[in-house]
Amino acid sequence: MRIRIALSATLAALGLMFLLPAAAHAHGDTLKVVVTGQRAGHVTADITWENDGDAVDETVAATVNAVSVDGSRTMGPWRLVRDTAAAPAGWTTAEALPPGSWKVSVEVGFPALGKGELEVGVPVVDPAPTTGAGTTGAGTTGSATGGTPAVSAPNPASASGSAASGSAAASSPAPAPSGTQAVPASEGDAVWWTTAGVAATALAGAGVGLLLRRRRMRGACRTS
């Protein structure tokens, strides 16, 4: 019985020793690296085994470098991280390339060797237009999209205050006209001429009265 158990364990171990190299040999010893482009400036790539095309389960050790087409700028080296939007073979960079044309190269050293290159272009993205309400001075001129300007609600405190002031003004009597108010020039001339006429009439009446009195006195003297 012990011989049979030992023989079974030996056969199982030999089987595992032969199966593991066969599985590794099925993948191969090189990786296929395909740089697929960029997404919002982030370099994207697919990494698979060269022989069977299976995705790499291990975390790859890779470097990403980029050089502008004119050679004036360089970016990297960056590392690759899993791209959840392109699983299971997708990889991407955490960093983003600035706008422009770039020659991108990806070199993988683990779990096997592999390399891929591609020229990618990162477009310039215009900022989204802002929609806000513009104001001129203290008044609102309306929103930038042509919307109806907002009307502010009246303040209850100010409304009550103005109502109180209005009622107080209504209850208080109007001021009496002053006697020293300025008189227009035409009215002043009329008053002056009227006063002068009255004075002349009074003087004439007084003179007539004096003449009549003298005549009466003379007549009385003659009769006496």
Side-chain angles (χ1 to χ4, degrees):
M1 181 64 69
R2 293 180 178 178
I3 296 175
R4 290 180 181 179
I5 295 175
L7 183 59
S8 299
T10 304
L11 291 175
L14 290 174
L16 290 175
M17 291 176 61
F18 284 106
L19 288 175
L20 290 176
H25 182 71
H27 282 315
D29 56 358
T30 57
L31 295 175
K32 182 181 179 181
V33 180
V34 178
V35 181
T36 57
Q38 59 84 29
R39 185 189 311 116
H42 300 273
V43 178
T44 57
D46 289 341
I47 301 177
T48 57
W49 291 101
E50 184 72 32
N51 287 357
D52 55 13
D54 292 342
V56 179
D57 297 330
E58 299 89 340
T59 300
V60 300
T63 57
V64 181
N65 292 278
V67 181
S68 60
V69 174
D70 58 3
S72 60
R73 294 180 295 171
T74 59
M75 303 297 293
W78 298 333
R79 67 185 186 91
L80 288 177
V81 295
R82 290 279 185 182
D83 188 1
T84 56
W91 297 81
T92 186
T93 58
E95 299 82 3
L97 292 170
S101 297
W102 301 88
K103 294 180 180 179
V104 179
S105 63
V106 178
E107 296 184 2
V108 183
F110 179 85
L113 299 179
K115 183 178 181 180
E117 295 179 344
L118 182 70
E119 182 175 329
V120 299
V122 181
V124 178
V125 179
D126 296 330
T130 57
T131 57
T135 57
T136 302
T140 304
T141 60
S143 63
T145 57
T148 304
V151 180
S152 58
N155 190 357
S158 61
S160 60
S162 56
S165 61
S167 60
S171 60
S172 60
S178 175
T180 60
Q181 293 181 353
V183 180
S186 58
E187 294 183 3
D189 294 341
V191 171
W192 186 86
W193 283 108
T194 302
T195 304
V198 171
T201 304
L203 291 175
V208 172
L210 289 174
L211 290 175
L212 291 176
R213 186 176 180 182
R214 287 180 180 182
R215 288 181 179 181
R216 289 178 182 175
M217 292 178 64
R218 290 178 180 177
C221 293
R222 291 177 181 179
T223 54
S224 60

